Amino acid sequence: MEQTQYSPIIIAIDGFSSSGKSTMARRLAATVGYRYLDTGAMYRAVTLYALDHGLFLPDNTPDTSAIIAALPSIHIDFAVQPDGTQHTLLNGKDVEAEIRRLRVSEAVSPIAAIAEVRHAMVAKQQELGRDKGIVVDGRDIGTVVFPDAELKIYVDASAETRARRRFKEMVEKGAAVNYEEVLANVVHRDHIDSTRAESPLRRADDAIALDNSEMTLEEQDAWLLEQFRRAAGL
Ligand code: DC
């Protein structure tokens, strides 16, 4: 029987924070045997570096020129763990837990809005996706990073649904947080991420919208797999 050649594709998943993008991207990647790239983790790692090196002005806003100057000293990689999960490395150090803390979440949006930071991260993301066969999640993946991605998903869910998810996640990790604080952080970040001048979050014209507020994980997995099969021509 003649074997048809299967070409790997790029799957771009964009959406607001805590929309469930990472979970769906990770699960889809595992199911179809693709790599997974969490671009939010990269902006978080830059933010952690800035926090740890005091690259903030007295009014607590990022010291943009110091951060730009530090970019050549910031090396971000990902290490696959024995259990298959992926950890973010900042200059060789595993910072996976640290970049998920509230102090990083609270400081990341203005840093992700710096054009030079974005250019450096986007270049790295494009390099990592060169061979395709990858699921990439973020805010500007379908619009800027991989505008030719064969499959683009734009995930939407209300701020309250997303805050509830993040709150639950943090409580499960033992963090002492309150829901109102988490909701305020989600709303604040939505605003910065969608109104910044440099590649704001927006749905690419050819992205498929998914509102997963009322979907179970299994329903979401099945829906995604269907989209993957169609886009990959399987
Ligand atoms: O998805 P996340 O919450 O881990 O993202 C962290 C921050 O990084 C968030 O403020 C949005 C920003 N981000 C971005 O600007 N572009 C991306 N491709 C991914 C994340």
Side-chain angles (χ1 to χ4, degrees), residues 21 39-40 43-44 108-109 112 118 138-140 189 193 196:
K21 293 185 311 292
T39 62
Y43 294 98
R44 287 170 177 273
V108 63
S109 281
R118 301 203 68 81
R139 304 293 190 285
D140 58 342
R189 281 207 289 160
D193 293 345
R196 69 182 176 217

Side-chain angles (χ1 to χ4, degrees), residues 119-180:
H119 296 160
M121 296 305 120
V122 168
K124 173 92 182 168
Q125 291 154 17
Q126 289 172 334
E127 184 191 311
L128 290 167
R130 210 176 16 225
D131 296 335
K132 301 197 173 190
I134 193 165
V135 185
V136 189
D137 86 46
R139 304 293 190 285
D140 58 342
I141 310 306
T143 52
V144 175
V145 185
F146 295 114
D148 297 327
E150 289 81 358
L151 175 59
K152 299 180 185 178
I153 311 278
Y154 184 82
V155 194
D156 219 345
S158 71
E160 288 74 15
T161 302
R162 290 180 288 116
R164 262 197 312 276
R165 285 184 190 146
R166 175 147 296 199
F167 176 69
K168 187 166 167 268
E169 222 172 76
M170 294 176 102
V171 168
E172 279 166 5
K173 284 183 187 158
V177 284
N178 74 56
Y179 170 76
E180 295 305 326

Side-chain angles (χ1 to χ4, degrees), residues 19 24 153-159 161-162 165 208-216 219-220 223:
S19 57
M24 83 174 63
I153 311 278
Y154 184 82
V155 194
D156 219 345
S158 71
T161 302
R162 290 180 288 116
R165 285 184 190 146
I208 306 167
L210 167 69
D211 183 337
N212 62 359
S213 305
E214 307 293 332
M215 266 176 145
T216 65
E219 286 167 346
Q220 191 172 275
W223 183 87

Side-chain angles (χ1 to χ4, degrees), residues 78-92:
F78 296 95
V80 179
Q81 305 301 296
D83 67 356
T85 61
Q86 210 168 251
H87 282 193
T88 309
L89 306 182
L90 170 60
N91 292 334

